Amino acid sequence: MTMEQESALASAQRQFDIAADILQLEPGLRRILRVPQRELTVTFPVKMDDGRIETFVGYRVHHNITRGPAKGGIRYHPNVTIDDVRAFSMLMTWKCATVNIPYGGAKGAVVVDPRQLSMGELERLTRRYTSEISILISPDRDIPAPDIGTNPQVMAWIMDTYSMHSGHTVPAVVTGKPIEIGGSYGRREATARGLSYVLREAAEALSFPIAGARIVIQGFGNVGATCARLLEEMGATIIAVSDSKGGIYRRNGLPLAAVVAHKQRTGTVTDFPEADRVTNAELLELPCDILVPAAVQMQITARNADRIRARIVGEAANAPTTPEADAILYDRGIFVIPDILAGAGGVTVSYFEWVQGLQEFFWTEREVNAQLERVMVGAFNQVLRTAHERRVHMRTAAYLLAVNRVADATRIRGIYP
Ligand SMILES: NC(=O)c1ccc[n+]([C@@H]2O[C@H](COP(=O)([O-])OP(=O)(O)OC[C@H]3O[C@@H](n4cnc5c(N)ncnc54)[C@H](O)[C@@H]3O)[C@@H](O)[C@H]2O)c1
């Protein structure tokens, strides 16, 4: 197996090992933090609309809960594996620790293509999966959230199922809920907004203003499209965007509102009449100031890293860059804002949603965004300082901060019994 084909977990562990070596982490702590603490696999039946009974496999993994309740999304995807869930649960531990919010890391999944299910089937699957993992979830133990293939409606069913079992309404058991039942203002845009704050800070650190910066975005979904709009509001020029079908490029800037309307009408950005078509591979190699991978993992690899022509790469997606590519980008002086920092706006506002639910006291959107900016800018500056002090790239710096926080918490609490 080549490095490029290694599993998501092996890649996450390799990244952890780099930080553990620099921190000279004691062998016992290394053994604890390298693997998930707790895993649940469930096989459960769902009545389909035609009367058949199908069985589905689901997972919920807690990587670490030393710093607080487990936090992480639930993915519905036909190809998801337990190994992916382990890797993403580990990334969640580091993401929460990087922005210093009091959570551990978790991830859940069901092996299913949700687009093949009716609404009724999706609801029954979600409610039964919730029931199966209810031995793990609760507002003070494990708080799920949306991920690929799930959305606020799925979170509403999880909240309702858990509440039915409890006999009273428990909004704080999930985040990413609809506003009407205790969701937070600003949650839907939070990942993109958090990213826009750190991109603005990064541009400033590299001595160019975000206003006028030329931006390329891979993935035009919730995060990518919102990020495009927010960066345009900051005065940046979006020159290329893409979705799973391909990308579009216009040297002088895309008319964003028209691209959004085209995507709504046709389901894709491709074939937008006033731009050139590019493939997703070509898009990544366009000359620009800021490249934002906001689609899927493993996009920047040893194969294309030497052709990336951005000054900053802001990782909205989880794990879009392989460790080999990281080293190449660093050597070429490209400033990478790693996923565990750049993509942490979502979990940060999830944390605010949980706090609001527990207190039953809700904030305005302005308050949410101001607190998000404080957390993201503070974390960015800490990671940047660490990178300078330790002479490492931003990903390793973020890992050093995050792993150290979890290691410290473990040492202070001690090993039970
Ligand atoms: N939504 C959040 O709060 C959040 C938080 C942290 C990280 N992320 C990560 O950000 C990424 C995007 O999340 P989202 O919520 O915008 O998802 P989404 O499903 O709304 O959008 C994904 C976009 O990527 C495109 N895409 C899919 N496969 C592609 C491929 N192979 N090449 C190019 N484009 C492709 C899709 O067409 C779509 O435009 C994911 O990796 C997700 O894990 C999301």
Side-chain angles (χ1 to χ4, degrees):
M1 187 165 74
T2 68
M3 293 290 196
E4 297 295 349
Q5 292 164 325
E6 78 179 350
S7 75
L9 181 64
S11 180
Q13 287 176 323
R14 216 140 56 85
Q15 201 57 60
F16 165 76
D17 288 339
I18 294 170
D21 285 346
I22 298 174
L23 290 168
Q24 299 181 325
L25 211 60
E26 34 305 22
L29 263 181
R30 209 184 254 258
R31 277 197 287 276
I32 296 170
L33 298 181
R34 223 173 167 272
V35 289
Q37 158 170 3
R38 186 184 277 159
E39 302 182 357
L40 177 65
T41 299
V42 294
T43 304
F44 57 96
V46 176
K47 277 189 203 144
M48 308 307 279
D49 289 346
D50 63 5
R52 270 178 314 120
I53 308 252
E54 278 285 354
T55 57
F56 292 89
V57 174
Y59 309 106
R60 187 72 184 164
V61 174
H62 292 177
H63 170 258
N64 190 280
I65 56 166
T66 307
R67 298 179 68 255
K71 188 87 188 85
I74 291 175
R75 180 170 295 197
Y76 288 176
H77 196 278
N79 302 331
V80 69
T81 67
I82 181 72
D83 213 59
D84 297 335
V85 182
R86 289 173 179 144
F88 289 129
S89 73
M90 190 171 184
L91 276 184
M92 283 306 295
T93 303
W94 312 136
K95 192 178 268 190
C96 294
T98 299
V99 288
N100 208 4
I101 55 178
Y103 281 143
K107 200 78 180 185
V110 177
V111 184
V112 61
D113 183 352
R115 290 168 306 184
Q116 305 297 321
L117 301 184
S118 69
M119 275 296 265
E121 289 167 343
L122 188 64
E123 177 174 354
R124 291 193 293 280
L125 174 135
T126 299
R127 288 186 182 276
R128 181 62 189 250
Y129 170 68
T130 305
S131 211
E132 295 289 337
I133 63 165
S134 64
I135 54 174
L136 290 182
I137 65 173
S138 86
D140 48 14
R141 286 190 298 183
D142 174 0
I143 308 117
D147 190 66
I148 294 169
T150 58
N151 57 28
Q153 176 60 71
V154 171
M155 298 305 113
W157 290 324
I158 293 176
M159 186 272 235
D160 187 69
T161 304
Y162 186 86
S163 299
M164 288 298 129
H165 287 196
S166 307
H168 60 102
T169 298
V170 189
V173 71
V174 284
T175 60
K177 299 179 292 295
I179 300 276
E180 294 82 347
I181 57 165
S184 177
Y185 287 111
R187 172 64 186 87
R188 198 173 46 81
E189 295 191 339
T191 304
R193 193 174 286 281
L195 177 65
S196 71
Y197 294 141
V198 296
L199 288 174
R200 183 195 65 198
E201 296 299 305
E204 202 175 302
L206 267 58
S207 302
F208 70 89
I210 195 83
R214 294 159 62 75
I215 317 281
V216 171
I217 301 180
Q218 185 194 40
F220 205 64
N222 176 26
V223 178
T226 310
C227 185
R229 179 170 60 75
L230 294 172
L231 291 176
E232 192 179 67
E233 280 170 20
M234 289 177 174
T237 305
I238 315 300
I239 58 166
V241 298
S242 71
D243 56 35
S244 57
K245 301 215 171 72
I248 51 173
Y249 169 56
R250 196 162 90 167
R251 212 159 163 266
N252 296 329
L254 292 163
L256 205 57
V259 174
V260 171
H262 180 83
K263 166 105 184 162
Q264 270 166 0
R265 207 170 47 246
T266 65
T268 172
V269 297
T270 55
D271 296 333
F272 179 72
E274 300 160 50
D276 298 328
R277 270 194 88 146
V278 287
T279 65
N280 265 295
E282 288 162 351
L283 174 125
L284 293 170
E285 298 174 14
L286 289 171
C288 61
D289 294 307
I290 299 176
L291 171 64
V292 177
V296 289
Q297 66 268 31
M298 304 265 278
Q299 295 303 295
I300 305 176
T301 69
R303 287 196 197 96
N304 61 359
D306 57 352
R307 293 194 301 274
I308 302 293
R309 286 184 286 171
R311 297 158 87 179
I312 295 173
V313 175
E315 293 183 342
N318 290 314
T321 312
T322 64
E324 291 69 34
D326 247 350
I328 297 169
L329 296 180
Y330 185 59
D331 286 345
R332 295 185 52 225
I334 296 174
F335 187 86
V336 177
I337 314 175
D339 49 4
I340 60 171
L341 172 62
V347 74
T348 301
V349 176
S350 270
Y351 165 57
F352 299 158
E353 180 178 332
W354 177 72
V355 168
Q356 292 170 77
L358 289 176
Q359 298 186 339
E360 299 190 40
F361 180 74
F362 290 87
W363 312 350
T364 63
E365 185 161 3
R366 187 189 286 262
E367 287 169 312
V368 170
N369 291 345
Q371 292 290 347
L372 174 64
E373 183 168 10
R374 179 184 60 78
V375 170
M376 295 302 295
V377 172
F380 175 84
N381 285 318
Q382 275 190 330
V383 174
L384 185 65
R385 227 178 4 257
T386 306
H388 286 154
E389 282 167 12
R390 298 277 198 153
R391 295 174 184 279
V392 291
H393 55 63
M394 289 285 281
R395 188 183 321 277
T396 298
Y399 269 78
L400 289 177
L401 277 175
V403 172
N404 202 35
R405 282 185 178 134
V406 182
D408 272 348
T410 313
R411 288 190 202 100
I412 293 166
R413 287 182 57 163
I415 304 297
Y416 176 84

